[in-house]
Amino acid sequence: MPSTGQTEDRAVTPAAPGSARARPGVAVAVRLAVVIVVLAVAGGGVWLVTRASAPVAGPTTTDIPALSVKAADVKPGSIVPVSAVAAGGAGEGTAPPADRPPGGDPLDEWAKKVSRTTGIPARALHAYGNAELALRSAEPGCRISWATLAGIGRIESDHGQYGGAVLGADGRPSKPIIGVPLDGSSGVRAISDTDGGRFDGDPVADRAVGPMQFIPGTWRKWASDGNGDGLGDPQQIDDAALAAARYLCTGGRDMATPAGWWSGILSYNNSTEYAQKVFGLADGYAKGAQKAQAG
């Protein structure tokens, strides 16, 4: 849920950072393992989170990433963002890195190149690309794109850099990302505390947390382990990105169709302006990746 608190509860299951090209036999086994893990989490609604990043609820900030993003002049439900270059140049032998065999990570160079043309931190691109690859195996009919996840990540937390945070190599921001209190004040929903302040540091009202801004109660349903460390942490961008991808793909949604794409984004935040902003960002990121590939 966005930092303004105007979205409905949601949760997702993130993928692991980076993906690798494996030998055919290994790739099949890896993909099967990933599908089993992702579906097991999705089906059971298991709360994987066993660690929080010691959040401290701070004062409300006016540094809201979405405010600097212009909404695209496009009619909801009419079109989708341009098709993005597949994460890492992914093919049938590519699998999420949490389960990859020893060797190079094909997302490394891809993330570096795309970062230069899009301005997205390479570490964040890893997370978005990993989530795309995981869902490609688990729910191929969804056709979720890293560019759409990046659009959401930009609006929600400036790719894990909200409030001056720096996204570390481990995929965690240098300080916990905590949204405004959802106390029913002007412009925000009223959601009473559901986690005792464990994830958001607020024992009175819930706050959206992490790079993809999950409400604690929503994270409880969709918690995921995207980086393969055995934990699900809403502050860790691989975990959060996979969770977002799973949430968007729920119910057999096809994110490559106009109806599916707009339905997914509006379920994340029921605001036409929000969806138009994500559209403009995703479209621009996809075109930037095409430029990087051509150059």
Side-chain angles (χ1 to χ4, degrees):
M1 141 184 187
S3 39
T4 57
Q6 294 175 324
T7 64
E8 40 179 64
D9 289 2
R10 68 163 183 280
V12 267
T13 307
S19 88
R21 202 172 290 280
R23 294 185 299 277
V26 174
V28 172
V30 166
R31 288 153 77 84
L32 182 59
V34 171
V35 172
I36 292 173
V37 170
V38 171
L39 293 182
V41 172
V46 178
W47 197 353
L48 295 178
V49 177
T50 57
R51 174 175 62 201
S53 302
V56 175
T60 300
T61 176
T62 56
D63 178 23
I64 300 174
L67 296 180
S68 62
V69 177
K70 183 179 179 181
D73 184 13
V74 57
K75 181 180 178 181
S78 58
I79 57 174
V80 296
V82 300
S83 180
V85 174
E92 288 304 309
T94 306
D99 300 283
R100 67 178 182 268
D105 183 344
L107 281 187
D108 282 341
E109 288 305 314
W110 173 82
K112 290 177 183 177
K113 288 177 64 176
V114 174
S115 178
R116 289 194 289 268
T117 57
T118 61
I120 303 171
R123 185 61 186 83
L125 278 166
H126 258 279
Y128 305 140
N130 290 334
E132 176 190 299
L133 294 175
L135 269 294
R136 181 173 300 182
S137 292
E139 299 185 45
C142 176
R143 298 192 288 177
I144 183 72
S145 167
W146 64 265
T148 289
L149 295 171
I152 293 174
R154 167 64 181 85
I155 288 180
E156 299 293 358
S157 70
D158 193 16
H159 310 300
Q161 302 172 113
Y162 176 77
V166 176
L167 191 62
D170 63 356
R172 292 182 174 81
S174 55
K175 56 184 179 180
I177 296 174
I178 310 292
V180 299
L182 303 179
D183 55 8
S185 57
S186 179
V188 302
R189 298 173 58 189
I191 302 179
S192 299
D193 175 66
T194 61
D195 68 335
R198 179 184 183 189
F199 292 102
D200 56 16
D202 191 334
V204 177
D206 267 351
R207 300 184 182 214
V209 298
M212 303 301 276
Q213 288 289 274
F214 279 98
I215 300 171
T218 304
W219 180 258
R220 180 172 186 168
K221 178 181 178 181
W222 296 89
S224 309
D225 176 17
N227 62 347
D229 65 356
L231 302 170
D233 183 348
Q235 295 289 346
Q236 206 280 335
I237 197 167
D238 301 307
D239 293 354
L242 179 54
R246 280 186 57 219
Y247 177 83
L248 292 170
C249 289
T250 190
R253 184 180 286 130
D254 184 351
M255 292 293 291
T257 65
W261 192 91
W262 287 90
S263 171
I265 303 304
L266 288 172
S267 75
Y268 208 85
N269 186 326
N270 192 21
S271 160
T272 297
E273 182 182 16
Y274 178 90
Q276 289 171 326
K277 289 184 176 186
V278 173
F279 182 99
L281 288 164
D283 194 65
Y285 289 151
K287 291 173 180 176
Q290 291 175 346
K291 181 179 179 181
Q293 186 179 49

